[in-house]
Amino acid sequence: MKPAFHHKLLNGRYGDPCLVVRIIRERRALLFDLGDIHALSPAVLSRVTDVFVSHTHIDHFIGFDAMLRATLRRSAPLTLYGPSGITRNVEGRLRGYAWNLIREYPAEIVVVEYSGRSLRRAVFRAESGFAKQTLPRTASDGLLLEDPAFTVRAAVLDHGIPCLAFSLEEPFRMNIDKDRLLRRNLTVGPWLTVLKRKVREGSIAGYLIVGRKRYALRDLLDIVRLGRGQKICYATDIGINRKNAGKLIALAKNADSFYCEAYFMEEDRRLAAGRYHLTTGECGRIARSAGVGKLYPMHFSPRYHGSEAELIKEVEEEFGGRIS
Ligand SMILES: [Zn+2]
Ligand SMILES: [Zn+2]
């Protein structure tokens, strides 16, 4: 079974962070943080529908203009999720340009602010020169986005300012039981894709044509096996304290892939405390407590250029699991 999500850190461990997640089946892409995004191909850029911004320090948000530029002529809206205050930051960036000649452009930017209790939405459309339109607030316990193919949840962590960590999860994996397929004399074909899509959407009324026969969808369900879905967690710029660790461990629990900052080495713990960042050891300990499958340590401080192996070793000593 192919994984639903393909994920890659765009600028390595030292560059301005951006995690690219492609959802192959949907021809769609998600970004976690908007650091430098110049390395993104136009094809992937055009498929980005949702961007999850941890916080708006410049190394995590400098890619906003490049993203906006790529969105101007497209009709599908772009949705940005972030912590309290992100709407003001987006508005400020939009106000930095003149927009008199783009009123016929279809571009629409939706901004969703998560405070820890509620979601506040605002919309900026090219047709109104990106004037802000505020929508009503809705309650949320951390669920930011629910789609038939995946959900995204967030936790508010302390980085001197609120900073969001994210968890992307597939509700379940679907496999076709090939033995059962053979026993029932059903042939492999595009109908399997339709069946899987219907199950994912929860719409199992209706019929499907297989070969020359018509089957009720519910009579085909015995060939679909459901398993645990893929889970990816992304967390960066986090102060070292028990409250942050507890929230992050809960969010990342049993993730298959965990992208986590390790900005400072252990010998610089005092600097880490002052800058609200994790150390290598803290990154490893949190990942171990969360029981993650594979850890991707990232966002190393530029002061350690050339010492990547030493940083990884410090993370490894505390984590003890698989590191990429
Ligand atoms: Zn920061
Ligand atoms: Zn940072």
Side-chain angles (χ1 to χ4, degrees):
M1 182 77 186
K2 290 184 211 137
F5 309 132
H6 287 227
H7 43 101
K8 190 176 179 240
L9 210 52
L10 194 60
N11 306 309
R13 296 189 213 276
Y14 288 94
D16 289 349
C18 176
L19 172 67
V20 187
V21 178
R22 289 185 302 137
I23 306 168
I24 306 298
R25 197 169 48 218
E26 312 244 317
R27 298 170 67 81
R28 179 172 175 182
L30 313 175
L31 301 184
F32 291 84
D33 268 342
L34 264 181
D36 183 0
I37 62 165
H38 287 103
L40 263 188
S41 74
V44 175
L45 206 52
S46 70
R47 288 178 188 162
V48 174
T49 54
D50 302 271
V51 179
F52 301 87
V53 179
S54 62
H55 63 304
T56 51
H57 280 160
I58 194 164
D59 50 334
H60 299 260
F61 200 51
I62 197 164
F64 175 81
D65 287 24
M67 190 68 240
L68 174 66
R69 186 88 175 84
T71 310
L72 283 180
R73 285 176 181 274
R74 78 177 203 195
S75 50
L78 176 76
T79 306
L80 269 103
Y81 298 81
S84 294
I86 190 171
T87 310
R88 199 184 57 232
N89 292 132
V90 169
E91 195 177 10
R93 295 287 281 275
L94 290 168
R95 294 281 75 80
Y97 297 97
W99 299 112
N100 59 313
L101 299 179
I102 57 131
R103 300 276 167 150
E104 76 281 12
Y105 284 18
E108 183 177 316
I109 313 284
V110 181
V111 183
V112 185
E113 261 189 46
Y114 177 53
S115 66
R117 282 198 217 121
S118 63
L119 300 174
R120 269 176 59 174
R121 288 186 164 77
V123 186
F124 300 87
R125 293 190 182 87
E127 64 180 25
S128 59
F130 289 116
K132 182 171 84 172
Q133 185 198 347
T134 308
L135 303 177
R137 189 190 295 252
T138 53
S140 171
D141 63 349
L143 183 64
L144 298 186
L145 173 59
E146 192 165 27
D147 188 279
F150 63 89
T151 56
V152 179
R153 304 192 70 86
V156 182
L157 304 178
D158 175 23
H159 175 47
I161 53 170
C163 181
L164 300 186
F166 303 102
S167 151
L168 166 68
E169 214 169 332
E170 205 186 359
F172 47 77
R173 300 306 304 276
M174 251 186 288
N175 289 303
I176 296 299
D177 187 329
K178 294 271 165 59
D179 292 339
R180 221 166 247 182
L181 198 74
L182 283 173
R183 278 204 302 277
R184 291 190 56 182
N185 288 323
L186 295 165
T187 48
V188 175
W191 65 273
L192 286 169
T193 310
V194 180
L195 176 66
K196 286 201 264 186
R197 196 188 69 231
K198 296 275 187 188
V199 173
R200 207 173 295 121
E201 290 168 355
S203 57
I204 50 162
Y207 296 88
L208 262 182
I209 304 294
V210 183
R212 289 196 187 133
K213 266 179 91 177
R214 195 170 84 129
Y215 290 85
L217 270 169
R218 62 184 76 257
D219 290 336
L220 293 168
L221 294 182
D222 63 323
I223 62 162
V224 179
R225 283 269 165 86
L226 298 184
R228 198 177 80 87
Q230 195 182 353
K231 177 173 175 179
I232 300 171
C233 186
Y234 175 91
T236 190
D237 296 50
I238 306 150
I240 301 174
N241 63 57
R242 288 173 68 159
K243 205 170 167 191
N244 272 350
K247 283 185 184 178
L248 186 49
I249 290 164
L251 186 77
K253 202 82 202 159
N254 299 326
D256 301 286
S257 310
F258 181 33
Y259 288 84
C260 185
E261 75 140 327
Y263 199 82
F264 286 104
M265 291 185 82
E266 280 305 308
E267 64 185 21
D268 293 323
R269 270 188 94 81
R270 280 182 54 198
L271 284 177
R275 305 268 184 88
Y276 297 91
H277 272 291
L278 294 184
T279 59
T280 45
E282 293 297 333
C283 166
R285 275 190 284 281
I286 288 169
R288 190 184 58 212
S289 301
V292 305
K294 200 172 192 180
L295 173 61
Y296 299 71
M298 56 158 213
H299 204 15
F300 291 172
S301 163
R303 72 177 59 220
Y304 308 122
H305 258 302
S307 307
E308 190 171 343
E310 284 94 314
L311 277 100
I312 296 286
K313 191 162 168 283
E314 287 192 357
V315 177
E316 216 159 26
E317 277 164 10
E318 291 300 328
F319 177 49
R322 286 194 302 150
I323 290 188
S324 181

